[in-house]
Amino acid sequence: MSIILTHAYYLFEDPKEQLIMRPYAPLGLLYISAYLNESQVENHLYDTTFYSKEEQLLFIEKKQPKAIAIYTNLMTKINVIKLINILNNDAKYGFPKIILGGPDITYNCENYLNTGAHFLIIGEGEQTTLELYQAIANTEDYSAIPGIAYLENGSVKKTPPRVKMKSLELLPLPNRAAIPVEKYLDTWKTHHGKSSMTISTQRGCPYTCKWCSTAVYGQSYRRRPADMVAAELLMLKQTYQPDSIWFVDDVFTVSHKWIKSFHEEVLKQDAIIPFECITRAERLDDEILQLLKEAGCFRIWIGAESGSQKIIDAMDRRVDVNVVKDAIQKTNALGIETGTFIMVGYPGEDEEDIRETITYLKAANPTHFTITIAYPIKGTSLYDEIENKITVQPNWETTTDREIDFKRTYSRKYYDFAVRRIVNEVNYNKELLKGKEKNVLSTFKLKTKSIIAKTGMKLYK
């Protein structure tokens, strides 16, 4: 009798990721597996990233688990629904109880339960998965287990929320031995010349950005002790020798006290591995930047989302665009790479806001930047604001929230062209900054593409 922990992301079915090839291990499942191991619960983690659905189903058929817990997010929802349908309709898999967890289920309980899932875990998964599986395995009552949802007489029944784990030092290290770590390392090495792994040091985010989902960890801040994080770094360094680490935390430098302790422990334990992280501009200063560099930081992603203060305020980002610009410039000057995120098509954004974003990116000059077109995730303040302005609400079972569209200042096509204009105009400026080293042909192409995109914006305005 056992439980299988799995997900439904298949790298070789994702053409976009095959161009990028930056896969990361499913840390959430690794934590749950380790937690179950501590309670001597037999569990099998099947990481689908490098495998197919057919291989996954063969594994399930062989193990005949009592339950299957599937991590579900916006990107994997469609595959998860297909997997549920197969498991519920083919006797060779033993008709296991299907448990879903992850950020997409919290505000879509009825939809997921109606697809055939037996239970949903709302919030953090370790304690709830353990208690729920023990109830299933022993055919015991589960109605008093906090943090779950299920159907009762055709209606959704939710138990009271589980109190969040206050002390993260109680968490065991992720069960990385359960997955093919070498496949991740080799993939990174082959495509990027260096390998990368992930570490989580905190749960929750104390900020209130309207477009961001806090469905799993909530609007909180809980952190693992710095000495334990340094010890994990040392273990990875000795066991896997990764070339870099990606800290998956939302705001890595939210606590300056913790950063100072982290810096001290990393040096004391000889646990330095080059790393990158995400943070907010106002949580960086000269001292913290220096400590990060000494601890091994080679890249910092500093969120802005827009170069327009009007749009930043509309997002409830609570930061000054000039503070973000200065933070990026200071980080660059210290020899640490920078990255930033840009979102276009946010409610109320107009052509002047796009121009301000281009001006901001040119002045800040981050090493890297990514752009997305704003889309509303159910359960966020953004979704609540635009719900009565939705113009495209596709079929839930066959699409994701990314396909939802709403009435914006201009058409969706306008913002498609706006993305192209920003990318090409900013990269054109980067070429100009190279001076004599610039590639003349590349510079010409970038400027031409920027002009074409600007023309497209005018056509679809």
Side-chain angles (χ1 to χ4, degrees):
M1 191 179 296
S2 66
I3 179 173
I4 286 179
L5 308 173
T6 192
H7 56 102
Y9 176 70
Y10 314 102
L11 173 64
F12 299 110
E13 291 183 7
D14 186 342
K16 290 184 179 179
E17 182 58 31
Q18 287 179 57
L19 294 174
I20 302 169
M21 294 304 277
R22 298 176 183 268
Y24 280 119
L27 267 184
L29 291 177
L30 302 188
Y31 268 112
I32 293 173
S33 177
Y35 193 83
L36 294 177
N37 283 342
E38 282 200 332
S39 296
Q40 289 79 51
V41 171
E42 182 182 353
N43 68 93
H44 307 282
L45 200 161
Y46 193 86
D47 178 7
T48 62
T49 301
F50 297 99
Y51 302 99
S52 65
K53 181 172 65 180
E54 289 70 30
E55 290 170 304
Q56 180 184 27
L57 288 169
L58 284 172
F59 183 84
I60 295 170
E61 182 182 359
K62 178 183 177 182
K63 295 297 182 183
Q64 293 288 302
K66 188 76 173 179
I68 294 182
I70 308 172
Y71 173 77
T72 308
N73 61 21
L74 186 148
M75 185 170 65
T76 62
K77 177 183 78 175
I78 297 170
N79 280 338
V80 168
I81 292 171
K82 291 177 181 177
L83 185 59
I84 291 171
N85 186 56
I86 293 169
L87 296 175
N88 279 337
N89 288 284
D90 196 326
K92 68 182 179 183
Y93 302 111
F95 298 119
K97 294 297 182 183
I98 298 172
I99 304 167
L100 303 184
D104 201 48
I105 60 103
T106 302
Y107 299 100
N108 290 288
C109 289
E110 185 172 8
N111 285 333
Y112 275 112
L113 289 170
N114 285 333
T115 66
H118 300 101
F119 300 98
L120 307 180
I121 291 178
I122 300 172
E124 295 177 344
E126 290 85 5
Q127 295 166 309
T128 310
T129 302
L130 173 61
E131 293 175 18
L132 179 57
Y133 175 67
Q134 288 174 332
I136 292 170
N138 298 314
T139 322
E140 296 173 348
D141 180 41
Y142 46 77
S143 61
I145 297 173
I148 65 171
Y150 53 91
L151 289 178
E152 186 174 84
N153 299 321
S155 298
V156 176
K157 173 73 180 294
K158 290 184 182 180
T159 62
R162 179 174 292 278
V163 175
K164 294 179 178 64
M165 192 179 292
K166 292 181 180 178
S167 179
L168 297 189
E169 64 184 301
L170 299 176
L171 284 172
L173 288 180
N175 183 17
R176 293 183 175 90
I179 64 169
V181 173
E182 70 286 347
K183 288 184 179 292
Y184 287 95
L185 298 174
D186 291 346
T187 298
W188 272 83
K189 202 86 169 180
T190 299
H191 294 273
H192 306 289
K194 64 179 184 178
S195 57
S196 182
M197 297 181 75
T198 50
I199 291 180
S200 171
T201 79
Q202 69 184 63
R203 290 189 172 181
C205 177
Y207 296 96
T208 57
C209 306
K210 291 183 178 180
W211 40 264
C212 190
S213 174
T214 57
V216 176
Y217 296 135
Q219 193 178 334
S220 62
Y221 171 73
R222 292 159 292 143
R223 200 115 196 210
R224 295 169 57 208
D227 62 332
M228 293 181 68
V229 174
E232 183 177 6
L233 274 169
L234 180 60
M235 181 277 290
L236 295 182
K237 182 177 179 179
Q238 295 173 339
T239 307
Y240 301 108
Q241 299 86 48
D243 297 308
S244 64
I245 294 293
W246 167 248
F247 283 108
V248 300
D249 313 307
D250 291 326
V251 189
F252 190 68
T253 64
V254 64
S255 167
H256 287 186
K257 180 180 178 181
W258 188 92
I259 289 295
K260 291 173 185 177
S261 179
F262 171 74
H263 169 268
E264 179 183 345
E265 289 293 337
V266 167
L267 269 61
K268 183 170 72 175
Q269 297 187 39
D270 189 24
I272 290 179
I273 303 175
F275 70 87
E276 60 182 308
C277 60
I278 302 174
T279 194
R280 291 174 59 97
E282 76 276 19
R283 300 309 301 155
L284 286 174
D285 59 29
D286 292 341
E287 180 187 12
I288 293 300
L289 281 171
Q290 186 61 40
L291 292 176
L292 289 173
K293 183 173 183 178
E294 291 173 8
C297 184
F298 73 91
R299 182 184 298 142
I300 305 176
W301 291 84
I302 304 169
E305 313 307 332
S306 177
S308 163
Q309 192 64 49
K310 181 188 84 177
I311 298 302
I312 289 173
D313 292 343
M315 294 174 173
D316 200 22
R317 284 284 294 165
R318 304 186 187 186
V319 70
D320 188 308
V321 66
N322 291 310
V323 171
V324 182
K325 180 183 69 176
D326 291 345
I328 292 173
Q329 291 172 336
K330 282 186 176 182
T331 306
N332 286 339
L334 197 59
I336 300 175
E337 289 186 17
T338 52
T340 197
F341 310 101
I342 296 295
M343 186 182 295
V344 300
Y346 200 83
E349 185 178 58
D350 58 27
E351 192 159 343
E352 178 58 28
D353 300 313
I354 298 291
R355 281 196 292 267
E356 289 181 11
T357 293
I358 292 172
T359 300
Y360 151 74
L361 284 171
K362 287 180 177 181
N365 194 30
T367 318
H368 312 275
F369 64 97
T370 66
I371 303 186
T372 58
I373 295 178
Y375 60 91
I377 299 173
K378 200 170 183 182
T380 63
S381 297
L382 172 59
Y383 187 95
D384 294 341
E385 283 185 9
I386 62 86
E387 189 171 9
N388 63 354
K389 299 177 183 178
I390 290 176
T391 56
V392 176
Q393 182 70 272
N395 180 276
W396 182 83
E397 289 192 14
T398 57
T399 62
T400 72
D401 287 354
R402 288 179 181 271
E403 307 303 315
I404 297 173
D405 203 7
F406 57 93
K407 188 175 181 180
R408 309 173 196 257
T409 306
Y410 311 121
S411 70
R412 170 62 187 256
K413 197 71 177 175
Y414 171 93
Y415 293 105
D416 288 334
F417 279 108
V419 168
R420 296 179 205 174
R421 182 187 172 195
I422 294 169
V423 169
N424 288 289
E425 187 65 26
V426 174
N427 284 333
Y428 165 74
N429 188 70
K430 283 180 175 291
E431 284 292 325
L432 292 182
L433 291 175
K434 292 179 181 179
K436 292 181 180 179
E437 297 176 3
K438 69 178 180 289
N439 184 315
V440 176
L441 180 59
S442 173
T443 305
F444 175 76
K445 287 181 177 178
L446 289 168
K447 189 60 178 180
T448 301
K449 288 179 180 179
S450 174
I451 293 170
I452 292 172
K454 188 175 181 180
T455 303
M457 290 169 65
K458 288 181 179 179
L459 289 173
Y460 287 95
K461 190 171 178 180

